[in-house]
Amino acid sequence: MRQARRKEKNAETREPRRSEPPPEPTPGPDQQPATEAPPAWKKPEGLSARGWAVLGVVLVLLQFPLIHYALFRGEPATTTQVPYSQDFSDPGVVARDFFSTGGFWRVVNGQLLSPGVKNNPLWLQASLPANVAVEFDVRSESPEGDIKVEFFGDGSDHASGYIFIHGGWNNTLSIIARLDEHGTPLDTLQRQARRVAEQRGNTQQAGLVETGVFRARTHMRVEARPYPVKQGQTYHWRIEREGSLLRWSIDGKPFMQFDDPIPLVGKGHDRFGFSSWEAQLFFDNLKIEPL
């Protein structure tokens, strides 16, 4: 009997009684019950080949008017001819002699108003001769200045020829641009040409065309800072081209010039247009004559 009791006592010593875990507290009226953790994020599956095909068809349909216009548009209309003069006394002249893809161009008090048309030029529907002079009066009623016209463009698209800007970029810079008002500055191209000539070991042939730096579709610009545009002041512009040389004068004084190594001539480069970005401009007394 004694041995049996000792065994029971030893057994209790070796294996202590396990206590049950305390019950989980019941949430009170102001406590929210615990929620399960959200499932881990999984990357969604991409479009199937059929899905991509459907998306492509939708995009083409949405852009079809622009695609059709770019591929199948004809020659710009011609409703008048050079020599040409216009004092904008007749409001109907805008619809009769000009064309634009946008902007509320109109005649106001005998002047042509360009109300900040965001580079939607108003093109004269007349073909320019290769050598020609264009004169007109212009006034900016905006503090940023930014007087702009397009010369030898295609009669439809902005920056399809030369762009003349007085007081651009918040009235800090004037340019003659070729195919892109944000193109490479002429002095940068000239430095590139000199480097190419040095690499070839012939510094005597450092011309823009000789070195291959300047090509038929080169986008570039000539920069100058003669003086800014004064708000409300009327300026008389004259821009002309003789051969490859573009000259620009304001109020009878030379302003800028550019001798284009590869002049923009022929189809797509025979129209003149007024333009603007955000400035409110007034144009008047347009005169175009061959040289």
Side-chain angles (χ1 to χ4, degrees):
M1 294 299 291
R2 292 178 180 177
Q3 293 178 353
R5 283 195 294 270
R6 283 197 298 271
K7 288 181 179 180
E8 291 174 359
K9 183 176 181 180
N10 293 338
E12 291 176 358
T13 303
R14 290 194 301 270
E15 297 182 11
R17 183 179 298 176
R18 298 178 180 177
S19 60
E20 296 181 357
E24 296 183 0
T26 303
D30 297 333
Q31 295 179 336
Q32 297 294 331
T35 58
E36 295 183 0
W41 180 84
K42 293 183 179 180
K43 183 179 179 180
E45 296 182 1
L47 288 176
S48 64
R50 182 177 181 182
W52 280 111
V54 172
L55 179 60
V57 171
V58 171
L59 292 176
V60 170
L61 290 176
L62 290 175
Q63 300 298 324
F64 181 76
L66 293 177
I67 296 173
H68 183 272
Y69 175 75
L71 295 179
F72 301 105
R73 62 180 175 179
E75 295 291 326
T78 299
T79 61
T80 187
Q81 61 184 3
V82 173
Y84 180 85
S85 62
Q86 183 58 245
D87 63 4
F88 297 103
S89 58
D90 176 12
V93 72
V94 174
R96 185 173 63 249
D97 289 353
F98 293 85
F99 167 79
S100 180
T101 57
F104 187 27
W105 292 91
R106 60 194 185 275
V107 170
V108 177
N109 297 326
Q111 297 176 315
L112 175 66
L113 170 61
S114 177
V117 297
K118 300 296 183 64
N119 288 337
N120 282 291
L122 184 72
W123 298 98
L124 178 67
Q125 295 186 114
S127 179
L128 300 178
N131 299 318
V132 67
V134 178
E135 296 186 63
F136 55 87
D137 296 328
V138 60
R139 181 179 81 256
S140 174
E141 290 296 347
S142 301
E144 61 266 29
D146 204 15
I147 300 173
K148 176 185 298 189
V149 300
E150 314 229 2
F151 200 30
F152 289 104
D154 65 3
S156 177
D157 300 324
H158 165 61
S160 54
Y162 303 104
I163 310 103
F164 291 69
I165 301 177
H166 180 196
W169 291 270
N170 202 27
N171 220 350
T172 62
L173 180 68
S174 297
I175 66 169
I176 299 176
R178 185 185 193 272
L179 300 174
D180 184 357
E181 62 192 65
H182 303 282
T184 306
L186 176 60
D187 56 357
T188 299
L189 294 177
Q190 291 171 335
R191 287 195 299 269
Q192 293 176 1
R194 287 194 293 268
R195 285 196 296 268
V196 171
E198 291 172 358
Q199 292 170 359
R200 294 176 177 176
N202 189 353
T203 57
Q204 299 300 318
Q205 294 185 348
L208 294 173
V209 177
E210 293 172 320
T211 55
V213 169
F214 197 104
R215 301 176 184 274
R217 300 302 298 173
T218 292
H219 294 194
M220 53 78 62
R221 68 187 191 184
V222 182
E223 301 177 346
R225 293 175 172 83
Y227 53 86
V229 173
K230 291 184 179 180
Q231 183 179 357
Q233 178 172 329
T234 298
Y235 297 93
H236 182 76
W237 280 35
R238 177 183 172 93
I239 56 177
E240 62 182 50
R241 182 171 73 178
E242 284 190 285
S244 61
L245 183 60
L246 294 162
R247 295 190 186 92
W248 177 10
S249 64
I250 296 180
D251 294 335
K253 298 179 180 179
F255 189 72
M256 294 180 65
Q257 69 177 34
F258 169 50
D259 195 353
D260 190 348
I262 307 177
L264 300 174
V265 296
K267 182 181 179 181
H269 299 298
D270 65 347
R271 299 296 167 113
F272 168 79
F274 296 112
S275 191
S276 68
W277 175 240
E278 292 183 337
Q280 181 171 271
L281 307 179
F282 288 88
F283 297 95
D284 202 0
N285 300 318
L286 174 64
K287 183 179 179 181
I288 303 178
E289 292 184 332
L291 295 177

